[in-house]
Structures are given as structure tokens and as C-alpha cells.
């Protein structure tokens, strides 16, 4: 069902979200290590796998387990009640994707923190994904390989040790002594491939030295052969098989850096049109570009921008208008954007204004001065859409996240907490709050606890920046510090 059609569409019921799983849950009062904080999260297109990246440069993979049981179909058909198919995941493997580096030419430390993780097309049973830190994108292959064992050796009796030494010799450097008369025959060792498997991650490509500024986005093309990487001023187009050459398709760097007025904040390919991509800016605009028009796409095909009708501008107007994340809907017709205060849903056929605006942080408007002082106003929250396009979600402070219905006429607006009790509203401030993200313009950030107009308590040192919606089910994965929380909701309401 198209979420924003003009036809008479019955409103879907509000979802009842329930806690499903948690990975990496910490005990009360336990200090969170900086390297363990999750910094990226992504489902693959099938929903069978989930990947997270953390500030320690690691990528952790999870796989879905609920669809892999061996229940006979006839037995399932005999049951007089529906079988629950809510996604459940288990830990699959992890690997070190990036290491800390130092750029000696620029005297710059390069963090190992994973900024983005993106799944690529699978092939021959292997998983492929892209991961990036501030400067370098890597292309990984994760494959199950059967463990090989060597057996039928000539020297395999229990009274002989490795290297032909007897265990009773305590490592004496004497050569192996053949038995009297020698061996009647020598056997050729045999390599046996067992049923046991081992996951082997391997870095296939490293795409480096193409960005002068920090990479904020990577996105796969629907053609399965190319991807883009974007920093503050440029967007580069890569071929997955060529790591020593990229094409600069967007460059907003002025001749004189003093004339710089906006930077690129996020970029993403269209889900089905391989020649179309969108990127957002710090001025609150979204530009749609068509790579068929020219090699250098500095001129946009469309620009989506909402003009402030009230005319009331302040020092914070441009700061809170900066878009931190954009996502295409699966239908390819809508773009969801997240700025500091709101979520906005755009129709590609209407550039003048969004078709829906969802207030996320309106209660913080009186506190913008305080948020600027403690750097919270620069926090970059991500957003996501459901696979059917009926709902959108984003994170907030105190490890809260919000889910909105985007069908015309829908009043669904649910606020949940990333915990085992998601409906709880009171959030306790941890005794040792985790460190926050560092902004380019700020060296440190101070967490503070504040209240909203309704008297609720909000802790600005705990924030839910990263979340992802399962592509085929009403399931959400949310990253709160070092913990990964999974929630699901029934597709059909209870009778």
C-alpha cells in the first residue's frame, strides 16, 4: 500500500511494540568503554542479517534464526493458530575492520570508529559489505569455509610427539630414530574436509586517499557494481572492483574557503534508479542529481527546501535546520530527512514543501541556548522508514526513540525507551554517563539532565543516534551506547 496516495485508504492500527532481544546489555552502574559504543547499524535487503560497527573499528554480524527451524510444513498447516514469524537474531561473527592511523603529512590522527556500514549483494553463499571510518572505505567478504584436517600420518602414534620427538625426551634436540627394520611402508597423508565450518572474513578492497575531509556517508548503487562515498565537500563514485581510482561527481568546495556557506551532510543512491542520488546539506536542503546529465553533477535536477514562512530567524535557525540523515523509501518516490527538531517526508514530485512533518524535539526549542553551550545541538540523529512505507522512526535523548504513522490522517506517535521495558517513561541518569560524539567545532561535550514542559526528565548525555527498520517486518534495531536492542510489533492487531 502506498502511504501517501490520494485514495480512500483505511488507516492501519497503531502498533504495540514489544521488547524482543538485547545484545551487549550492561549491568547497572557498569562503565561503558568508549571503544564498545555502537556507531553504525544496518539490515541487509533480505532482513536475514544485521551488521553493527563500533568506535573500536569492529564490525559485528548477526543472523536471523527464527526462519531456520526444521518444522515440517504439514505440521504447521495442522495448527489452528498463526505461527509467529517475528525476527530473532543471534551473534554470527565479528572482525576488526579499521585500525587507528596517523596521517604524517597532515599531522592528523585518524580514528578507527566505523561511521557507516552498508551491505552489498551476496554471491556464492558469501556475505559482502562496505565499512568506512573517517578516511578509508573497505570492502569485506565473509564466507563459511569447512575446516580441513590432516590425518593418516606416518608418525601419529601416541608415544611420539610433534617434530619426531618422544615426549619423554623433554624437548631434547635429537633426531627422530627409525624403528629397527624401518617402516614397512609409508602412507600418504590425507586431507579430510569435515562438516565443521568456520567463518572467515577477508578484506577484498581498500578505497583510500580520496577524501580530504571526514566521510559521512557511503551508499550502494542498485546496479550492484558501484557505490558513492561522501564527505563534507565532495561525493566520489567508485567501482567495487577498482580501488585505485574514483570519479568526483559532486564538488561544493569554493575557490576561497571563506566563501563556504554549506557542507554535505548525507548522501544516498535511489533504490532502483542507478543514475539518481540525493544529498543533503547543512542548510536544510536536499538535492536530487541525475548522473546522465553530466559527469560533474554540481547542478542539481531538483532541490527540496522548505522556506520559513514565519520570517522569524535567530542565531540557531541554520544550526537546527541542518539535515543529519536522509533515507529513500522502498518505493523510490519518497525521501525521509532528519534535522535536529523534526522528521520530514518528501515526495520527489513536490519540491516546495514536505508532505508530512513530525515534531521530535519541539519541546527543546526554549533550551536551544543550553543545547548550544553543551554541544548537544550538533548531535546527528539517524532516521528510517518501514519496509511498507507506512511508518517512520528516529531517536532522541534519554535513549528514547519515536515511531510515527505517515499515512494521511494517521495520529500514531509512539515514544519508547531502549530498554527491556520500552513503555517506561522515567529514565534514570547513569552514575557514569558515556562519552558523547565529538563535533568538529567542539572539543568536548557536557551531558546535562533537563526536563520537558510536562515535567519529564531528559538526559542529554544518553542519546539514541542509530537505529534501523527491518525491511520486511515491523521490527526495529536500536543502538544505545554499547547495547543493541531489538523490538517487534505484530503486523495484525489482537482481536
Amino acid at each position: 500500500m502506498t502511504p501517501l496516495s490520494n485514495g480512500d485508504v483505511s488507516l492501519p492500527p497503531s502498533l504495540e511494540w514489544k521488547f524482543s532481544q538485547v545484545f551487549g546489555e550492561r549491568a547497572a552502574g557498569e562503565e561503558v568503554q568508549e571503544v564498545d559504543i555502537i556507531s553504525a547499524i544496518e539490515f541487509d535487503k533480505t532482513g536475514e542479517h544485521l551488521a553493527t560497527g563500533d568506535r573500536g573499528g569492529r564490525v559485528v554480524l548477526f543472523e536471523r534464526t527464527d526462519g531456520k527451524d526444521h518444522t515440517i510444513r504439514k505440521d504447521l498447516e495442522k495448527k489452528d493458530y498463526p505461527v509467529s514469524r517475528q525476527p530473532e537474531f543471534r551473534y554470527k561473527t565479528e572482525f576488526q575492520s579499521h585500525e587507528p592511523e596517523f596521517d604524517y603529512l597532515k599531522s592528523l590522527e585518524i580514528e578507527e570508529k566505523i561511521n557507516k556500514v552498508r551491505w552489498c549483494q551476496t554471491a556464492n553463499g558469501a556475505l559482502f559489505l562496505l565499512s568506512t571510518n573517517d578516511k578509508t572505505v573497505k570492502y569485506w567478504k565473509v564466507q563459511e569455509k569447512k575446516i580441513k584436517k590432516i590425518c593418516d600420518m606416518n608418525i601419529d602414534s601416541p608415544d611420539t610427539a610433534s617434530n619426531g620427538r618422544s615426549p619423554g625426551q623433554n624437548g631434547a634436540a635429537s633426531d627422530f630414530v627409525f624403528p629397527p627394520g624401518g617402516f614397512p611402508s609409508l602412507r600418504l597423508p590425507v586431507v579430510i574436509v569435515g562438516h565443521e565450518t568456520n567463518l572467515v572474513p577477508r578484506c577484498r578492497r581498500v578505497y583510500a586517499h580520496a577524501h580530504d575531509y571526514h566521510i559521512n556517508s557511503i551508499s550502494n548503487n542498485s546496479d550492484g557494481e558501484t557505490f558513492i562515498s561522501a564527505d563534507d565537500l565532495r561525493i566520489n563514485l567508485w567501482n567495487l572492483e577498482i580501488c585505485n581510482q574514483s570519479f568526483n561527481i559532486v564538488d561544493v568546495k569554493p575557490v576561497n574557503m571563506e566563501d563556504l556557506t554549506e557542507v554535505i551532510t548525507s548522501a544516498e543512491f535511489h533504490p532502483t534508479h542507478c543514475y539518481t542520488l540525493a544529498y543533503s546539506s547543512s542548510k536544510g536542503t536536499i538535492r536530487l542529481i541525475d548522473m546522465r546529465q553530466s559527469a560533474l553533477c554540481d547542478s542539481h535536477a531538483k532541490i527540496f527546501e522548505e522556506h520559513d514562512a514565519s520570517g522569524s530567524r535567530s542565531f540557531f535557525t541554520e544550526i537546527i535546520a541542518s539535515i543529519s540523515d536522509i533515507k529513500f523509501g522502498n518505493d523510490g518516490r519518497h525521501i525521509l530527512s532528519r534535522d535536529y527538531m523534526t522528521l520530514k517526508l518528501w515526495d520527489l514530485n513536490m519540491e516546495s514543501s514536505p508532505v508530512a512533518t513530525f515534531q521530535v524535539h519541539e519541546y527543546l526549542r526554549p533550551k536551544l541556548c543550553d543545547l548550544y553551550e553543551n554541544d548537544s545541538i550538533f548531535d546527528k540523529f539517524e532516521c528510517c522508514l518501514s519496509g511498507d512505507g507506512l511508518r517512520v522512526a528516529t531517536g532522541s535523548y534519554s535513549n528514547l526513540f519515536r515511531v510515527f504513522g505517515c499515512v494521511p490522517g494517521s495520529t500514531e506517535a509512539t515514544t519508547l525507551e531502549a530498554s527491556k521495558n520500552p513503555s517506561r517513561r522515567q529514565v534514570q541518569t547513569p552514575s557514569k554517563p558515556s562519552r558523547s560524539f565529538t563535533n568538529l567545532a567542539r572539543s568536548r561535550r557536557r551531558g546535562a539532565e533537563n526536563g520537558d514542559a510536562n515535567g519529564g526528565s531528559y538526559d542529554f548525555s544518553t542519546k539514541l543516534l542509530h537505529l534501523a527498520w527491518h525491511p520486511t517486518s515491523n521490527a526495529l534495531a536500536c543502538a544505545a551506547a554499547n547495547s543493541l536492542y531489538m523490538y517487534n510489533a505484530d503486523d495484525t492487531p489482537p482481536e
Side-chain angles (χ1 to χ4, degrees), residues 244-257:
N244 58 357
Q245 182 182 9
S246 65
F247 297 95
N248 177 230
I249 57 175
V250 175
D251 189 347
V252 300
K253 183 179 180 180
V255 177
N256 186 355
M257 286 296 286

Side-chain angles (χ1 to χ4, degrees), residues 75-308:
D75 295 337
L76 295 176
E77 291 175 348
K78 292 179 182 178
K79 296 182 179 180
D80 57 354
Y81 57 89
V83 179
S84 175
R85 301 296 295 172
Q86 294 296 349
E88 292 184 5
F89 288 82
R90 69 181 177 190
Y91 170 85
K92 186 178 181 72
T93 188
E94 67 180 83
F95 55 90
Q96 189 71 33
S97 174
H98 288 71
E99 300 280 357
E101 300 176 30
F102 189 82
D103 188 337
Y104 293 97
L105 293 178
K106 298 181 179 180
S107 297
L108 179 68
E109 290 185 2
I110 303 174
E111 291 183 327
E112 67 270 34
K113 178 174 79 76
I114 304 297
N115 292 340
K116 296 290 180 181
V117 174
R118 291 290 181 265
W119 289 94
C120 303
Q121 294 181 357
T122 60
N124 300 323
L127 302 176
F128 295 87
L129 66 159
L130 292 167
S131 62
T132 184
N133 65 352
D134 287 339
K135 295 292 183 181
T136 304
V137 184
K138 294 185 178 182
Y139 184 39
W140 289 90
K141 177 182 180 181
V142 181
Q143 189 174 27
E144 282 190 353
K145 291 190 175 182
K146 293 185 177 180
I147 300 176
K148 297 179 179 180
K149 297 181 179 179
I150 301 177
C151 64
D152 205 10
M153 300 286 288
N154 291 285
I155 308 173
D156 57 358
S157 59
D159 58 344
T160 58
S162 60
N163 297 330
R165 296 186 180 92
S166 171
Q169 292 176 334
N170 295 326
S174 60
D175 294 331
F176 175 76
V177 179
F178 280 88
F183 288 106
S185 64
L186 291 177
R187 300 185 301 271
L188 186 66
V190 178
V191 177
I192 295 180
V193 180
H195 296 289
E196 298 179 5
T197 59
N198 187 27
L199 282 168
V200 180
R202 184 168 66 91
C203 184
R204 293 196 60 200
R205 300 283 188 275
V206 177
Y207 313 92
H209 312 301
H211 289 276
D212 292 329
Y213 304 93
H214 289 178
I215 299 173
N216 54 48
S217 304
I218 53 174
S219 179
N220 305 89
N221 198 339
S222 58
D223 63 10
E225 297 179 356
T226 57
F227 73 95
I228 56 170
S229 58
D231 63 24
D232 293 339
L233 299 180
R234 294 187 177 95
I235 299 177
N236 293 331
L237 177 68
W238 300 83
N239 187 297
L240 283 170
E241 300 301 324
I242 302 173
C243 60
N244 58 357
Q245 182 182 9
S246 65
F247 297 95
N248 177 230
I249 57 175
V250 175
D251 189 347
V252 300
K253 183 179 180 180
V255 177
N256 186 355
M257 286 296 286
E258 294 181 358
D259 298 330
L260 181 66
T261 58
E262 63 179 335
V263 296
I264 299 169
T265 56
S266 182
E268 181 163 295
F269 262 119
H270 190 279
T272 56
H273 298 165
C274 61
Y275 49 82
T276 303
L277 63 95
Y279 69 92
S280 59
S281 81
S282 57
K283 279 194 171 182
T285 61
I286 301 173
R287 290 176 172 86
L288 195 71
I289 62 176
D290 189 336
M291 294 192 296
R292 297 173 299 179
Q293 293 180 347
S294 64
L296 187 61
C297 306
D298 288 342
S299 59
H300 52 267
K302 291 185 178 183
I303 181 169
F304 303 89
E305 183 177 12
E306 184 177 28
H307 298 281
D308 188 5

Side-chain angles (χ1 to χ4, degrees), residues 41-54:
I41 183 170
E42 180 85 358
F43 283 105
D44 70 347
K45 288 185 178 181
T46 65
E48 295 296 317
H49 295 91
L50 173 68
T52 65
D54 62 26

Side-chain angles (χ1 to χ4, degrees), residues 256-478:
N256 186 355
M257 286 296 286
E258 294 181 358
D259 298 330
L260 181 66
T261 58
E262 63 179 335
V263 296
I264 299 169
T265 56
S266 182
E268 181 163 295
F269 262 119
H270 190 279
T272 56
H273 298 165
C274 61
Y275 49 82
T276 303
L277 63 95
Y279 69 92
S280 59
S281 81
S282 57
K283 279 194 171 182
T285 61
I286 301 173
R287 290 176 172 86
L288 195 71
I289 62 176
D290 189 336
M291 294 192 296
R292 297 173 299 179
Q293 293 180 347
S294 64
L296 187 61
C297 306
D298 288 342
S299 59
H300 52 267
K302 291 185 178 183
I303 181 169
F304 303 89
E305 183 177 12
E306 184 177 28
H307 298 281
D308 188 5
S310 64
S312 59
R313 296 181 62 84
S314 68
F315 172 76
F316 305 108
T317 300
E318 280 197 9
I319 299 177
I320 62 176
S322 177
I323 296 175
S324 56
D325 189 29
I326 59 172
K327 292 287 194 310
F328 273 100
N330 285 345
D331 59 3
R333 180 174 171 176
H334 299 96
I335 297 178
L336 181 67
S337 67
R338 172 70 154 98
D339 56 46
Y340 188 72
M341 305 296 286
T342 64
L343 269 176
K344 293 177 181 177
L345 191 64
W346 300 83
D347 190 319
L348 294 188
N349 297 326
M350 190 170 74
E351 305 170 49
S352 58
S353 64
V355 293
T357 300
F358 310 97
Q359 300 295 334
V360 181
H361 282 163
E362 187 61 29
Y363 66 90
L364 293 177
R365 194 172 291 275
K367 305 178 182 298
L368 291 180
C369 287
D370 297 334
L371 295 167
Y372 179 78
E373 287 298 321
N374 63 26
D375 285 355
S376 294
I377 201 171
F378 299 105
D379 288 332
K380 300 183 185 302
F381 292 93
E382 294 181 0
C383 59
C384 58
L385 299 93
S386 61
D388 55 16
L390 300 179
R391 295 171 181 86
V392 296
T394 190
S396 182
Y397 293 106
S398 298
N399 285 341
L400 300 178
F401 63 98
R402 305 202 68 189
V403 180
F404 300 93
C406 54
V407 175
S410 174
T411 59
E412 181 177 358
T414 308
T415 301
L416 302 162
E417 180 191 353
S419 68
K420 288 187 175 181
N421 183 12
S423 299
R424 183 177 59 182
R425 290 294 182 270
Q426 294 75 25
V427 182
Q428 298 178 352
T429 306
S431 58
K432 295 181 180 180
S434 60
R435 289 177 56 189
S436 325
F437 283 96
T438 303
N439 187 271
L440 290 174
R442 304 284 177 173
S443 60
R444 64 190 181 92
R445 186 170 302 166
R446 300 180 297 275
E449 187 177 291
N450 289 269
D452 67 351
N454 300 323
S457 179
Y458 289 89
D459 179 14
F460 295 117
S461 66
T462 57
K463 59 204 73 175
L464 199 151
L465 299 173
H466 312 284
L467 76 171
W469 202 302
H470 192 276
T472 59
S473 304
N474 284 322
L476 278 167
C478 306

